[in-house]
């Protein structure tokens, strides 16, 4: 039997991420949410806007943590799916959904404590969306944008070959991150996953789950060290998380 000090410690609530609500690429988004959730602090009674909610995973995750969430999207069928997901997780009364464009928000100034989006700004004109977010955020509020970056070599190749529509999307460079941040008083950002994406070989090409898990863990550790010692390489990461604060 393990001594108490050796037993695996349950994750604190701030660190635990409901992986199933990240919906896809969970192994890669868990570290991103572990970075952003503690920055949001306690969500009890906080008003949150989610841009491009899709099927509502993030909105549901935040509602389960006590937030009152409005999820917007341009696609009515996505909103219907998001509503069903919130009901399934018994948070329907804490989440509202609305058909709305992230670049033209129909909310008064200073409405939300937090705004969050995941893989949505790439569909919009960055500065215009950031301006709208700044307007509807309360003073002291934070906008958190989790986005796909432009220059990750494997992601770049994948998009070129398989995602024809990707040519129209505005993937992020470090300069784009700074452009968004310039609309706010404070910007903090962190980039994720350089070599770790290589682990997908064992998931997508030769599916050997054990090799996938080991390679992923090893490459994530390598990425952490490389990005710490050689920050230049953050521009070649796959995902960026921006935390923009309004004073
Ligand atoms: C890649 S999906 C991400 C969905 C969700 N955020 C997630 O991570 O599961 C992008 C979503 O953004 C929505 N979207 C794209 N442009 C938008 C806009 N201008 N305003 C609101 N939603 C938008 C799309 O309809 C789609 O549901």
């Amino acid at each position: 039997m393990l001594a108490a000090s050796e037993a695996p410690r349950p994750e604190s609530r701030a660190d635990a991420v409901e992986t199933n609500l990240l919906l896809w690429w969970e192994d890669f988004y868990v570290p991103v949410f572990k970075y952003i959730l503690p920055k949001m602090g306690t969500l009890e009674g906080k008003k949150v806007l989610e841009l491009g909610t899709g099927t509502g995973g993030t909105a549901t995750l935040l509602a389960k943590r006590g937030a009152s969430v409005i999820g917007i999207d341009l696609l009515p069928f996505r909103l219907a799916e998001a509503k069903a997901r919130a009901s399934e997780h018994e948070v329907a009364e804490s989440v509202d959904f609305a058909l709305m464009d992230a670049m033209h928000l129909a909310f008064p100034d200073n409405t939300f404590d937090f705004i969050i989006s995941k893989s949505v700004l790439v569909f919009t004109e960055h500065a215009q969306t950031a301006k709208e977010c700044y307007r509807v955020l309360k003073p002291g509020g934070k906008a958190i944008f989790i986005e796909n970056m432009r220059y990750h070599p494997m992601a770049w190749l994948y998009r070129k070959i398989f995602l024809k529509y990707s040519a129209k999307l505005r993937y992020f460079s470090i300069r784009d991150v700074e452009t968004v941040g310039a609309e706010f008083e404070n910007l903090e950002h962190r980039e994720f996953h350089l070599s770790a994406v290589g682990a997908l070989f064992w998931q997508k090409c030769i599916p050997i789950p054990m090799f996938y898990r080991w390679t992923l863990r090893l490459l994530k550790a390598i990425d952490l060290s490389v990005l710490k010692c050689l920050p230049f390489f953050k521009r070649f990461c796959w995902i960026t998380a921006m935390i923009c604060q309004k004073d």
Side-chain angles (χ1 to χ4, degrees), residues 187-221:
L187 166 69
E188 188 183 320
H189 61 100
R190 182 163 156 198
E191 284 62 47
F192 296 83
H193 311 316
L194 205 53
S195 68
V197 181
L200 288 170
F201 175 79
W202 299 114
Q203 198 192 46
K204 306 288 178 200
C205 305
I206 306 180
I208 307 180
M210 193 171 64
F211 282 10
Y212 168 66
R213 281 197 307 276
W214 286 352
T215 315
L216 184 63
R217 196 175 305 165
L218 174 70
L219 295 181
K220 275 182 176 174

Side-chain angles (χ1 to χ4, degrees), residues 54-80:
T55 55
T58 305
T60 300
L61 188 150
L62 299 178
K64 287 182 75 152
R65 288 169 172 255
S68 164
V69 187
I70 299 182
I72 64 161
D73 205 287
L74 286 179
L75 299 175
F77 71 92
R78 286 283 180 236
L79 292 173

Side-chain angles (χ1 to χ4, degrees), residues 10-145:
E11 286 187 289
S12 73
R13 186 164 162 73
D15 281 348
V17 178
E18 287 208 53
T19 310
N20 65 323
L21 286 171
L22 301 181
L23 304 182
W24 59 69
W25 305 112
E26 310 87 297
D27 292 334
F28 294 90
Y29 279 105
V30 165
V32 180
F33 275 74
K34 280 188 174 176
Y35 168 64
I36 61 157
L37 287 170
K39 310 262 178 201
M40 298 176 88
T42 172
L43 285 170
E44 215 67 49
K46 295 281 163 47
K47 284 189 80 171
V48 179
L49 171 66
E50 191 196 5
L51 312 177
T53 192
T55 55
T58 305
T60 300
L61 188 150
L62 299 178
K64 287 182 75 152
R65 288 169 172 255
S68 164
V69 187
I70 299 182
I72 64 161
D73 205 287
L74 286 179
L75 299 175
F77 71 92
R78 286 283 180 236
L79 292 173
E81 288 169 354
K83 211 169 174 175
R85 190 180 304 280
S87 299
E88 187 192 318
H89 286 265
E90 298 174 354
V91 289
E93 63 297 336
S94 308
V95 195
D96 268 334
F97 293 103
L99 195 64
M100 199 183 295
D101 184 347
M103 292 194 286
H104 304 283
L105 298 173
F107 300 107
D109 298 357
N110 309 326
T111 303
F112 296 98
D113 298 290
F114 294 103
I115 297 174
I116 190 163
S117 72
K118 174 166 153 258
S119 307
V120 177
L121 261 61
V122 289
F123 293 92
T124 72
E125 208 279 292
H126 301 160
Q128 163 71 19
T129 310
K131 277 189 175 72
E132 272 296 81
C133 289
Y134 184 91
R135 182 182 68 73
V136 303
L137 262 187
K138 290 178 185 171
K142 289 178 183 166
I144 297 171
F145 306 118

Side-chain angles (χ1 to χ4, degrees), residues 147-161:
E147 284 302 334
N148 306 287
M149 297 191 76
R150 191 182 300 168
Y151 296 119
H152 186 282
M154 276 176 63
W156 180 87
L157 193 63
Y158 177 82
R159 289 170 194 146
K160 278 267 173 231
I161 299 173

